[in-house]
Amino acid sequence: MNATSGHQASRFEHEEVVVRRGQRSGLPIIVAIHSTARGPAIGGCRFWQYPHWTDGLTDALRLSAGMTDKCAAAGIRQGGGKTVVALPPGQVLDPAARRDILHDVGDAIDNLGGRYTTGPDVGTTPDDMATIGERTTSVFCRPRELGGSGDSSPRTATGVLAALQALCAHLDGRATLDGRRISLVGLGHVGTLLARELAAAGAKLLIADIDTTRRVVAAELGAEWTSPEHALTAEVDVLIPAALGGQLTDDLVPRLRCAAIAGPANNQLANESVADLLHSRGITWAPDYLVSAGGILYATASEIDRLGHDQAVERVRTIGANLTAVLDAARHGNCSPHHAARARIHALLQVRNKPEPAN
Ligand code: PHE
């Protein structure tokens, strides 16, 4: 993966990056705080296997920068951070080993004194957040019975649906998903919830996942099952990237046959210039950091602003109007939605950013 998120790779622009060997697990625990310019940093805790732990560090740097954009674009007064635990390839974690790692994560986060709060991400669950919560209070999305806001995946899915409706309205004036041809790549937590909602809304679905056992989900929903490569390049109204990042590459864009792209995967662009390539091909890309903000919108609305469920869901649905504003700005400015969104984010982050020395 070599995706970036609007940030130069050569300059160290993070506020703080901690890499410590977990006292219990012996594994590298990586916590990256990209920015607290708009408030304390938030961002999920990812458990993933990397060929080398430094690949996990690279991932943490880029994902935490993406969270700064995500928070700013969603209008949340928080900054971007991320935790990555680089698991050695091939290792299967038993519950005790998992608990040790989570306690190591909790200690590393607690040591940051409230400058960063974690949440669930790829490879972790609300139960894991409860275990992290045994070592620190800086954790979102613990199970509801423990006072947290619970699983963020359904909220992320709600946000993606709001984005899809706004996107469709932008394309042809109809906010409905009924009869739309939609290709969904990735049946993880959020992808599976989305597939169900889209099928219920009457969309004509094409589904793919690298794990072929997931084809039962397609069968159950009456959707067509295909390979990820075919799903990415199928002739559809909307392509939904719901797997890991970096899938939209220079090589892929000329082969795309979708009218628009919007999905929950983080850091979808393999590099910045892909946004322009998509724009020049007339494919509308809804910036991932806007589309995927449902989880953090719900968690912060519930756990920081103490809103009830319905009001927190309303917050999540602001993603629709937010995306419409960006798509309109892009249309009027004849630029990519990414460009339009970044201009807004840049203005927001400027407010409290201190000037940086040139290097
Ligand atoms: N995985 C979530 C995201 O990328 C992280 C998160 C969810 C953080 C909820 C805090 C609360 O947005």
Side-chain angles (χ1 to χ4, degrees):
M1 277 180 286
N2 59 349
T4 62
S5 114
H7 303 269
Q8 293 165 24
S10 53
R11 210 183 75 202
F12 183 66
E13 56 171 37
H14 289 66
E15 279 176 27
E16 185 170 356
V17 180
V18 176
V19 184
R20 29 145 114 176
R21 187 202 312 277
Q23 210 183 310
R24 305 166 185 82
S25 65
L27 290 177
I29 311 290
I30 304 160
V31 185
I33 297 181
H34 176 255
S35 168
T36 59
R38 279 173 51 81
I42 59 176
C45 172
R46 182 165 294 203
F47 274 25
W48 195 249
Q49 299 189 345
Y50 297 90
H52 193 274
W53 73 266
T54 54
D55 300 319
L57 174 60
T58 304
D59 221 10
L61 294 176
R62 149 184 104 63
L63 288 163
S64 58
M67 289 306 294
T68 300
D69 291 351
K70 201 193 275 201
C71 290
I76 297 172
R77 304 281 320 176
Q78 307 274 317
K82 204 84 179 188
T83 301
V84 168
V85 178
L87 303 172
Q91 178 168 326
V92 181
L93 291 178
D94 63 47
R98 188 171 190 91
R99 194 180 166 76
D100 280 351
I101 300 173
L102 291 164
H103 282 165
D104 286 341
V105 166
D107 285 348
I109 290 171
D110 202 57
N111 201 39
L112 293 166
R115 296 185 59 230
Y116 162 74
T117 302
T118 197
D121 199 76
V122 176
T124 58
T125 64
D127 284 339
D128 292 333
M129 297 307 111
T131 309
I132 291 175
E134 290 165 5
R135 306 295 309 173
T136 182
T137 54
S138 299
V139 59
F140 288 112
C141 300
R142 289 174 306 134
R144 288 197 169 264
E145 42 307 354
L146 296 177
S149 59
D151 187 3
S152 62
S153 306
R155 320 308 167 203
T156 306
T158 299
V160 177
L161 284 173
L164 288 170
Q165 286 160 350
L167 176 63
C168 288
H170 178 82
L171 292 177
D172 64 12
R174 284 196 310 126
T176 141
L177 300 171
D178 189 23
R180 304 268 183 198
R181 293 166 305 164
I182 294 182
S183 179
L184 173 78
V185 185
L187 282 177
H189 290 140
V190 179
T192 304
L193 290 163
L194 266 177
R196 293 190 194 289
E197 300 255 12
L198 290 168
K204 291 189 206 129
L205 276 180
L206 184 63
I207 300 181
D209 192 284
I210 45 171
D211 176 358
T212 54
T213 65
R214 304 296 290 153
R215 69 185 308 152
V216 292
V217 177
E220 189 194 317
L221 298 175
E224 193 183 328
W225 174 262
T226 187
S227 66
E229 167 64 20
H230 181 248
L232 285 168
T233 55
E235 191 176 338
V236 290
D237 298 313
V238 187
L239 167 65
I240 303 185
L244 293 179
Q247 290 208 309
L248 305 178
T249 62
D250 298 284
D251 286 349
L252 178 70
V253 176
R255 294 185 286 124
L256 288 173
R257 290 184 296 153
C258 53
I261 304 174
N266 286 317
N267 297 6
Q268 293 167 15
L269 304 180
N271 62 69
E272 283 296 291
S273 57
V274 173
D276 294 329
L277 278 182
L278 288 165
H279 178 61
S280 62
R281 276 217 53 205
I283 297 171
T284 306
W285 181 65
D288 46 11
Y289 41 86
L290 277 175
V291 174
S292 66
I296 51 166
L297 275 165
Y298 188 90
T300 54
S302 312
E303 299 191 36
I304 297 180
D305 300 333
R306 298 277 155 207
L307 299 186
H309 173 76
D310 292 350
Q311 278 180 295
V313 170
E314 276 314 304
R315 254 297 155 97
V316 171
R317 295 196 60 84
T318 61
I319 288 174
N322 212 354
L323 178 60
T324 299
V326 164
L327 294 178
D328 286 347
R331 188 174 269 169
H332 292 135
N334 191 25
C335 64
S336 71
H338 181 48
H339 190 87
R342 286 221 53 85
R344 293 160 73 100
I345 292 170
H346 187 73
L348 285 168
L349 291 175
Q350 229 33 44
V351 182
R352 277 188 51 197
N353 259 356
K354 296 178 196 73
E356 291 182 43
N359 62 356

